[in-house]
Amino acid sequence: MLKKKERIMELDIFRSFAIMAVLLIHATSTTLVTTQGTSSYYPYLFANIFSKFAVPVFIFLSGFVLFYNYLDKPINKSMLKTFYTKRLLYILVPYVLVSFCYFLLNTYAKGKLGLPITQLGHDFGLQLLKGTAHTHLYYLIIMLQLYILFPLFLWWFQKQRSILPWVALIGFAIQWAYIYLNKYGFHLPKEGVYGMGIKLPLPKGSIAFSYMSFYLFGALIAAYYAQLKEWLIMTWEGFKSGKGVVWIVVWAAWLAVGIVHVNLYYNLNTRGSKINSLWYEFAWDVHSLLSCIVLMQVSYLIYRHGWKWLSGALTSMGACSFGIFLLHPALLYLYRKIPAHGGTLEYAARIAGGWIIALGVSWLVVHIAFRYVSWSWIFFGTAPKRPQKQAEDNTVKLNM
């Protein structure tokens, strides 16, 4: 009989930081156009680009959770049926319904609801396949691809355990082979791409290979979690034992590479620098990988040593993160309909207000829905387990 693994309660706090970063990117997205050429541009750019670790850390977490739960379980018909049934119910169903809602909203906003029903159905079908019913839904297309690939990776890692120490490097190699071929080989449906070759059905960032280093980095941490845990949990005793030097280096590198990442984007997209864009992608990759470690460490600190109210609030936010992710763009859309007036400070308050309202209202709606509406899963995915059940359930939550 397989030994049950410990439930890692800190992961919901990790999710809360990731979803806050997602909303910060979306709340500041319009500022990169409206403030360009002003003194306010760089601060908004910094907030937006520095937070680009958001999707990678979610994908890292998905890789970690999946391999943590399944690496020691046999692959059989029952396991595969349970695995895909859960994802069809709690990922695919919400994706289809939410995509339909955003399709109607965007079609209405463009004044095209009067088009023939066959045209609308065709347009919705294409958007559903590509994850383009709204700008954030490409993430779920990536996740669906990773779910398809997961049993193949699981089978490989179970058959060849000796490969486990190298899985993060394998992920890095896969991702960078794809990035290089994208730049110099594939012919994507965009102008200005080098070379000729395969025409891919999705944009580069909607294909799972773009995030393979994060996914398999999660698999590595999951495979060796028992050994790595003492390096992830920061304590005063650990700091004095010599681990503190490593922690300081990791955090300093995270901040430094993040700043480099932002400034490479600034030079490439604002100053027209001729730096090879691969350097920007590399900085983003390294910054995101370091973000996975830093956010895990912060999550452990808050769960163990933070104020109880803060830990509880972030845990609740993380448990609702999938629903928040799906709902928040609609709230931002409505919020931006409010007329804006005033100068620089008023504009900053308006952007901050958008972030707060999109996060707070969507969190409240999802929390209430999970608590009082039994069928809320069809829109927001898996509901968080009640505290009394958590003691009985010793597995890691799968959503996101």
Side-chain angles (χ1 to χ4, degrees), residues 4-81:
K4 287 186 176 180
K5 293 184 177 180
E6 65 174 297
R7 180 175 174 81
I8 306 174
M9 304 300 295
E10 297 86 351
L11 294 186
D12 276 328
I13 297 178
F14 184 102
R15 289 183 179 92
S16 73
F17 287 117
I19 197 62
M20 283 190 279
V22 168
L23 267 70
L24 185 57
I25 294 169
H26 294 167
T28 58
S29 60
T30 58
T31 66
L32 303 188
V33 175
T34 56
T35 65
Q36 194 161 17
T38 71
S39 59
S40 300
Y41 175 70
Y42 187 82
Y44 291 119
L45 176 78
F46 190 93
N48 185 278
I49 302 303
F50 194 90
S51 302
K52 292 288 186 180
F53 60 77
V55 167
V57 298
F58 264 131
I59 291 174
F60 160 83
L61 185 58
S62 293
F64 174 82
V65 167
L66 289 174
F67 287 98
Y68 184 82
N69 282 330
Y70 286 98
L71 188 58
D72 296 320
K73 292 183 179 179
I75 303 174
N76 51 43
K77 186 177 179 180
S78 175
M79 172 264 178
L80 292 174
K81 181 180 178 181

Side-chain angles (χ1 to χ4, degrees), residues 53-321:
F53 60 77
V55 167
V57 298
F58 264 131
I59 291 174
F60 160 83
L61 185 58
S62 293
F64 174 82
V65 167
L66 289 174
F67 287 98
Y68 184 82
N69 282 330
Y70 286 98
L71 188 58
D72 296 320
K73 292 183 179 179
I75 303 174
N76 51 43
K77 186 177 179 180
S78 175
M79 172 264 178
L80 292 174
K81 181 180 178 181
T82 301
F83 178 80
Y84 284 112
T85 298
K86 286 182 177 180
R87 277 140 196 89
L88 284 172
L89 286 176
Y90 299 120
I91 302 294
L92 191 57
V93 170
Y95 169 66
V96 172
L97 291 176
V98 169
S99 293
F100 182 68
C101 292
Y102 280 112
F103 173 76
L104 291 180
L105 177 65
N106 291 325
T107 304
Y108 170 77
K110 295 173 183 176
K112 294 183 177 181
L113 273 181
L115 290 174
I117 191 68
T118 52
Q119 181 65 49
L120 292 174
H122 175 267
D123 292 346
F124 174 62
L126 284 179
Q127 292 181 23
L128 191 65
L129 289 173
K130 295 184 177 183
T132 55
H134 204 72
T135 53
H136 67 314
L137 294 175
Y138 77 96
Y139 169 75
L140 295 185
I141 294 296
I142 296 167
M143 292 309 303
L144 291 172
Q145 294 170 63
L146 292 174
Y147 292 148
I148 292 171
L149 291 172
F150 172 67
L152 300 176
F153 280 119
L154 183 63
W155 175 82
W156 184 21
F157 298 158
Q158 287 182 349
K159 289 293 182 182
Q160 293 184 297
R161 290 274 175 166
S162 60
I163 205 74
L164 285 175
W166 309 101
V167 294
L169 287 176
I170 291 169
F172 191 84
I174 293 171
Q175 179 172 319
W176 276 89
Y178 171 69
I179 289 172
Y180 185 85
L181 289 173
N182 165 69
K183 185 173 178 66
Y184 295 111
F186 292 127
H187 180 61
L188 295 177
K190 282 186 177 180
E191 294 181 1
V193 179
Y194 293 93
M196 297 296 291
I198 301 171
K199 185 175 181 180
L200 299 176
L202 295 170
K204 168 178 166 285
S206 295
I207 294 178
F209 294 139
S210 296
Y211 307 91
M212 201 54 66
S213 66
F214 317 116
Y215 187 62
L216 293 187
F217 184 49
L220 175 71
I221 301 297
Y224 296 99
Y225 181 72
Q227 298 94 314
L228 295 174
K229 186 177 177 181
E230 64 180 35
W231 288 89
L232 294 170
I233 300 175
M234 293 191 294
T235 62
W236 181 241
E237 291 75 18
F239 191 89
K240 291 189 294 184
S241 72
K243 295 185 180 73
V245 175
V246 176
W247 295 336
I248 291 171
V249 170
V250 168
W251 280 61
W254 172 73
L255 183 60
V257 176
I259 293 171
V260 170
H261 171 213
V262 172
N263 283 284
L264 282 172
Y265 182 94
Y266 178 73
N267 288 324
L268 281 167
N269 292 274
T270 305
R271 294 186 171 181
S273 172
K274 294 183 179 180
I275 299 171
N276 192 317
S277 61
L278 293 181
W279 286 110
Y280 166 76
E281 296 233 27
F282 181 75
W284 165 74
D285 194 354
V286 175
H287 183 229
S288 298
L289 288 169
L290 291 171
S291 296
C292 299
I293 299 172
V294 168
L295 292 185
M296 286 195 85
Q297 291 184 319
V298 172
S299 300
Y300 281 112
L301 279 175
I302 291 175
Y303 185 78
R304 284 168 166 72
H305 306 293
W307 293 303
K308 190 173 181 180
W309 66 267
L310 178 62
S311 176
L314 293 177
T315 297
S316 171
M317 185 189 299
C320 296
S321 61

